[in-house]
Amino acid sequence: QSALTQPASVSGSPGQSITLSCTGTSSDVGGYNFVSWYQQHPGKAPKLMIYDVSTRPSGVSNRFSGSKSGNTASLTISGLQPEDEADYYCSSYTTSSTVVFGGGTKLTVL
Amino acid sequence: QLQLQESGPGLVKSSETLSLTCTVSGGSISSSSYYWGWIRQPPGKGLEWIGSIYYSGATYYNPSLKSRVTISVDTSKNQFSLKLSSVTAADTAIYYCARLYTFASYDYWGQGTVVTVSS
């Protein structure tokens, strides 16, 4: 299975909104509403931010939102804050009943 | 509060078998309808899914690792384990265990354990 495609880096200023993309195929992202997003700070374990395309787990800020169109899923962070600076990974369920991750996007808050 | 903790050797010799255990506390591994999984992260790189297991023993593996991976569960100890055979330097990574909440979302993670493969 091939990794989902994410931009290597994205940057934004405090208060801005940014959108991270995650592109797969009809065998994963496009085929199921089972896309998740994770935030990972250096030296820490990943934290689940969005699951099932657009659902936020309890305790996750409503500044984080998810969506999907075709084979591409998106994570939008509004009102960007310095603590949002981290690596972000998407994942998807696949037709083979497996899970595939994206390569990750490094978000820099300028 | 559910907690997961990885344990096992931090150094494994090339061509040997990597063995890790994940101990679950704060909940029973067999009392709920969750899968449990292993994910790894090579130094400076992204996350790679290794596989998942249900308390009944049903497993799913990453096709690229399937020939070398075995995930098992011990409900009496509330643990699940990972074995990766014939390791090479490419298997050097932080290994995480986690609970699969829905089909592709892991909601509880261990802190991760560093495994280095030496020649």
Side-chain angles (χ1 to χ4, degrees), chain A residues 25-50:
Chain A
T25 69
S26 58
S27 296
D28 38 63
V29 174
Y32 304 92
N33 288 323
F34 298 130
V35 176
S36 300
W37 289 90
Y38 301 85
Q39 177 191 66
Q40 186 181 35
H41 287 111
K44 299 294 186 180
K47 175 186 177 183
L48 182 65
M49 305 301 285
I50 295 286

Side-chain angles (χ1 to χ4, degrees), chain B residues 28-101:
Chain B
S28 172
I29 203 169
S30 58
S31 68
S32 50
S33 301
Y34 295 112
Y35 274 77
W36 305 85
W38 290 96
I39 299 102
R40 71 181 183 179
Q41 185 170 34
K45 296 187 178 181
L47 302 171
E48 181 180 29
W49 182 74
I50 299 173
S52 295
I53 189 166
Y54 195 53
Y55 76 91
S56 64
T59 53
Y60 293 95
Y61 298 135
N62 185 324
S64 67
L65 298 171
K66 190 172 184 177
S67 64
R68 299 193 292 128
V69 172
T70 301
I71 298 176
S72 58
V73 63
D74 186 338
T75 55
S76 67
K77 295 181 179 179
N78 225 32
Q79 297 175 334
F80 61 103
S81 299
L82 168 70
K83 291 188 185 298
L84 181 64
S85 64
S86 303
V87 297
T88 69
D91 296 309
T92 293
I94 300 172
Y95 284 77
Y96 295 101
C97 61
R99 186 181 80 168
L100 186 62
Y101 181 58

Side-chain angles (χ1 to χ4, degrees), chain A residues 10-26:
Chain A
V10 168
S11 62
S13 299
Q16 282 187 330
S17 290
I18 60 95
T19 297
L20 310 181
S21 63
C22 170
T23 302
T25 69
S26 58

